[in-house]
């Protein structure tokens, strides 16, 4: 015998003695188990400890201006902050008056809202660039709630009347329609702010007269404290960009529809309930004969002026140091024309009316309204917070600094709570004004204080000059500012090309918000997004993998050419977690790709067993039985091991562990080993706790950190003719 053959024979005998290849083992760290009582005690002690350093850190974290103001670079930043604050203040004057119309409020309260929000966010916000004020979608939501409560209270729909409603005024002064509208909006704003702030308000601070509604307050504050303790700032991650965009576009259609009556000078009540958009258009067409020609002509002229000039501002924004405030020019011109032309007296135009100067004394919210508006306030709080955090993170990323989502929640919450005592309504970040601030050199929130000074000047001196301003002009300003949201319809083909699933979410959210109900659109969007995520795990399929040469690279055989399959070993990958909702789909897909369903084989065996009992010739039936039970092995006599790549499996629940146990047991009965490879620590822990390894039966717990290790082990195991081992 040649020496080479002798050496090969000796080598083969040595390999047989050594047994199957053992993969490289990693030594696990021993995790120290700390009793839950000690963990709880440590956390409570950390949260409740009191020291000068902790008090200082708490103040700095709660009031960010204390941290950044001492480091303010006056010479370098003051010009940009002053310029941006001045421009935004000028733009806010007409927009604040206009959005008051959308929220069913008098113009003065829009100015109050912008003034207080600018100051409070400067003190508490962490973003350097965003402008906090009125946002059209939130104003729409506030207006819908206000109009609903006015109707329930028995107030007439005509805003020019001051008839008293069915409101109990025994504990206070008589309240007309305008007064009650302010009360509803302020209470709604307060409640939304409480949702946003978290545990910042303590029940011990409540005055004694609140005891009448103590049960309502305890329930509200209990929910608020829970939200704060859970740090629900993370909730914004569940509101995707496509969802928020679709919601804003659908709400923009509703806003546009609600302003058409002012274009035409019609006195129509706001339509409530589902399908309000279609009902409003039907009402508009029915009342076209009552159009006020003066308001219609004014609206057309303002549109012809504002639309082209706003487009010019957008086109030349890179060359302009600051956008030209065409809205303010239009407001001034329209006010002068209405005043000297006596449009109200001569043509019956609907004007802004008396706008008082100064500030009104603070008043408490109407606590009895909270049960009626608590659900509406929650949706408003979530939308306002999501918009604010999205914009603040977008500009922070662009300019290279960090924002704290939970502090943003506190900031926008206090921007609602404190102003609500001064008859203000809900606020959030506003994209248009934020872009203006950024483009005009804003560096810090000092620009917000400059904006507040401009608004203060208007509140103290200039506000009464807008008495003759027609409401149709304000409606035009609102509609013109919807251009950005309405342009999204032109982006649908591009969105569909980039991601069809996101486009479907956008379309469903937009359609529901516009055609059914605004608040329902947000809920439907969240549910559709969640179902899309679940649907992706449901639609995942098992893929058979092949190896690229000798490299540690295994990819889908159906997607790439030149991949090689290993003799006797089939490698599969399931690209999703395995849990209760998709474990059946996982098994079905795996059995289909392997070409054998163990359950069907067992059923076939039971059927043949029944037939055998019915036949006399046991010899022939036994032979038939042997052929049937080994049909798989006769057809696939080379396959002895099934390797499952678990790297995409992020987690397993009890149903997922049981599914893997069922797969391993089923194939083991057919003589096929099942190996799990590249499992993360969470999956391994779930397998161990779920009883996947049976130590009594000697089932091995071997961890394969690469697919090559699993394949080598399977081949060496076959060469030794070993038993089936359950390994990882």
């Amino acid at each position: 015998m040649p020496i080479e053959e002798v050496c090969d024979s000796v080598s083969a005998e040595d390999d047989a003695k050594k047994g199957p290849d053992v993969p490289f083992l990693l030594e696990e760290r021993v995790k120290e188990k700390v009793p839950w009582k000690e963990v709880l005690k440590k956390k409570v002690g950390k949260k409740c400890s009191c020291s000068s350093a902790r008090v200082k850190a708490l103040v700095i974290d709660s009031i960010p201006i204390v941290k950044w103001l001492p480091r303010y670079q006056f010479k370098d930043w003051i010009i940009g902050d002053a310029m941006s604050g001045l421009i935004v203040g000028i733009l806010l004057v007409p927009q604040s008056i206009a959005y008051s119309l959308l929220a069913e409020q008098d113009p003065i309260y829009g100015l109050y809202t912008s003034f207080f929000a600018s100051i409070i966010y400067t003190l508490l916000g962490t973003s350097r660039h965003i402008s906090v004020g009125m946002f059209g979608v939130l104003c729409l939501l506030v207006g819908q709630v206000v109009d609903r409560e006015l109707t329930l209270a028995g107030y007439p729909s005509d805003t020019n009347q001051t008839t008293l409603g069915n409101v109990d005024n025994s504990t206070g002064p008589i309240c007309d329609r305008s007064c009650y509208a302010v009360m509803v909006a302020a209470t709604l704003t307060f409640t939304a702010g409480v949702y946003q702030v978290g545990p910042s308000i303590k029940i011990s601070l409540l005055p004694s007269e609140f005891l009448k509604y103590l049960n309502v307050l305890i329930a509200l504050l209990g929910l608020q404290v829970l939200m704060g303790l859970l740090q629900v700032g993370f909730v914004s991650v569940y509101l995707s960009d496509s969802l928020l965009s679709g919601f804003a576009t659908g709400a923009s259609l509703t806003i546009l529809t609600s302003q058409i009556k002012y274009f035409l000078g019609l006195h129509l009540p706001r339509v409530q309930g589902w399908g309000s958009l279609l009902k409003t258009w039907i009402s508009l067409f029915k009342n076209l004969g009552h159009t006020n020609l003066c308001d219609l002509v004014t609206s057309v002229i303002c549109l012809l002026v504002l639309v082209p000039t706003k487009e010019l501002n957008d086109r030349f924004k890179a060359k302009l140091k600051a956008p030209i405030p065409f809205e303010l020019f239009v407001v001034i011109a329209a006010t002068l024309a209405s005043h000297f032309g006596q449009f109200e007296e001569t043509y019956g135009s609907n004007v802004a009316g008396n706008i008082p100067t100064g500030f009104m004394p603070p008043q408490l919210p109407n606590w009895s309204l909270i049960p009626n508006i608590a659900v509406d306030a929650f949706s408003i709080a979530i939308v306002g917070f999501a918009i604010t955090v999205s914009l603040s993170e977008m500009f922070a990323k662009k300019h290279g600094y960090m924002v704290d989502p939970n502090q943003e929640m506190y900031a926008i919450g206090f921007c609602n709570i404190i102003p609500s005592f001064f008859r203000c309504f809900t606020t959030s970040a506003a994209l248009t004004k934020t872009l203006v601030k950024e483009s005009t050199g804003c560096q810090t929130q000092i620009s917000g204080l400059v904006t507040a000074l401009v608004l203060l000047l208007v509140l103290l001196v200039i506000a009464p000059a807008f008495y003759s301003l027609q409401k149709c002009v304000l409606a035009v300003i609102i509609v013109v500012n919807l251009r950005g949201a309405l342009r999204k319809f032109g982006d649908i083909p591009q969105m569909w090309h980039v991601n069809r699933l996101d486009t479907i979410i956008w379309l469903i959210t937009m359609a529901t918000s516009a055609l059914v109900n605004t608040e329902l659109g947000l809920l439907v969007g969240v549910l559709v997004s969640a179902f899309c995520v679940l649907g992706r795990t449901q639609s995942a399929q098992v893929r058979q993998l092949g190896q690229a040469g000798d490299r540690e690279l295994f990819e889908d055989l159906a997607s790439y050419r030149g991949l090689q399959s290993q003799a006797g070993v089939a490698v599969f990958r399931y690209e999703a977690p395995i849990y209760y909702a998709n474990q059946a789909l996982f098994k079905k897909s795996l059995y289909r790709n392997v070409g054998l369903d163990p359950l069907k084989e067992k059923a076939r065996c039971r059927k043949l067993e029944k037939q055998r009992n019915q036949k006399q010739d046991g010899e022939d039936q036994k032979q038939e039985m042997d052929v049937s039970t080994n049909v798989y092995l006769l057809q696939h006599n080379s396959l002895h091991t099934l390797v499952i790549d678990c790297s995409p499996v992020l987690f397993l629940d009890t149903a997922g562990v049981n599914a893997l146990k069922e797969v391993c047991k089923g194939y083991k009965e057919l003589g096929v080993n099942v190996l799990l490879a590249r499992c993360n620590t969470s999956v391994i822990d779930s397998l161990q706790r779920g009883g996947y390894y049976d130590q009594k039966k000697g089932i091995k717990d071997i961890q394969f950190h690469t697919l090559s290790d699993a394949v080598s082990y399977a081949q060496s195991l076959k060469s030794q003719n070993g038993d089936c081992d359950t390994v990882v």
Side-chain angles (χ1 to χ4, degrees), residues 583-593:
Q583 53 88 19
L585 297 173
F586 159 71
K587 291 186 292 184
K588 181 179 179 181
S589 180
L590 179 65
Y591 295 157
R592 183 175 63 251
N593 279 272

Side-chain angles (χ1 to χ4, degrees), residues 523-589:
L523 176 61
V524 170
V526 172
L527 293 177
V528 171
S529 299
F531 282 124
C532 286
V533 174
L534 292 176
R536 290 181 178 180
T537 64
Q538 299 278 6
S539 61
Q541 297 292 324
V542 171
R543 309 291 184 185
Q544 185 172 1
L545 307 182
Q547 188 174 11
D550 297 331
R551 301 180 180 179
E552 175 54 35
L553 178 60
F554 290 79
E555 287 299 338
D556 183 15
L557 285 171
S559 300
Y560 298 95
R561 297 178 179 177
L563 300 179
Q564 301 173 358
S565 299
Q566 303 298 322
V569 181
V571 183
F572 294 92
R573 174 188 294 159
Y574 187 66
E575 299 178 342
I578 304 175
Y579 62 110
Y580 70 95
N582 70 348
Q583 53 88 19
L585 297 173
F586 159 71
K587 291 186 292 184
K588 181 179 179 181
S589 180

Side-chain angles (χ1 to χ4, degrees), residues 19 44 83 150 153 206 280 285 370 390 429 441 481 489 565 623 645 668 672 698:
V44 171
M83 176 64 71
L150 286 172
L206 299 176
T280 301
F285 283 117
I370 290 179
S390 298
N481 282 296
F489 286 104
S565 299
Q623 183 178 2
D645 180 8
K668 181 179 180 180
V672 179

Side-chain angles (χ1 to χ4, degrees), residues 445-570:
Q445 283 297 332
I446 291 296
S447 60
L449 296 180
V450 177
T451 299
L453 290 175
V454 175
L455 294 170
L456 181 63
L457 177 64
V458 174
L459 284 167
L460 296 179
V461 180
I462 305 175
F466 296 109
Y467 176 92
S468 299
L469 178 61
Q470 294 168 270
K471 288 187 177 180
C472 64
V473 178
L474 301 177
V476 170
I477 292 174
I478 292 174
V479 170
V480 169
N481 282 296
L482 298 176
R483 294 173 304 122
L486 297 177
R487 281 187 182 134
K488 290 293 183 180
F489 286 104
D491 297 336
I492 292 178
Q494 178 65 20
M495 293 166 56
W496 183 263
H497 176 73
V498 174
N499 192 305
R500 296 185 178 183
L501 203 57
D502 283 346
T503 308
I504 292 173
I505 295 173
W506 187 93
L507 289 171
I508 294 176
T509 306
M510 181 275 300
T512 308
S513 300
L515 301 177
V516 183
N517 180 272
T518 308
E519 295 91 342
L520 184 64
L522 183 65
L523 176 61
V524 170
V526 172
L527 293 177
V528 171
S529 299
F531 282 124
C532 286
V533 174
L534 292 176
R536 290 181 178 180
T537 64
Q538 299 278 6
S539 61
Q541 297 292 324
V542 171
R543 309 291 184 185
Q544 185 172 1
L545 307 182
Q547 188 174 11
D550 297 331
R551 301 180 180 179
E552 175 54 35
L553 178 60
F554 290 79
E555 287 299 338
D556 183 15
L557 285 171
S559 300
Y560 298 95
R561 297 178 179 177
L563 300 179
Q564 301 173 358
S565 299
Q566 303 298 322
V569 181

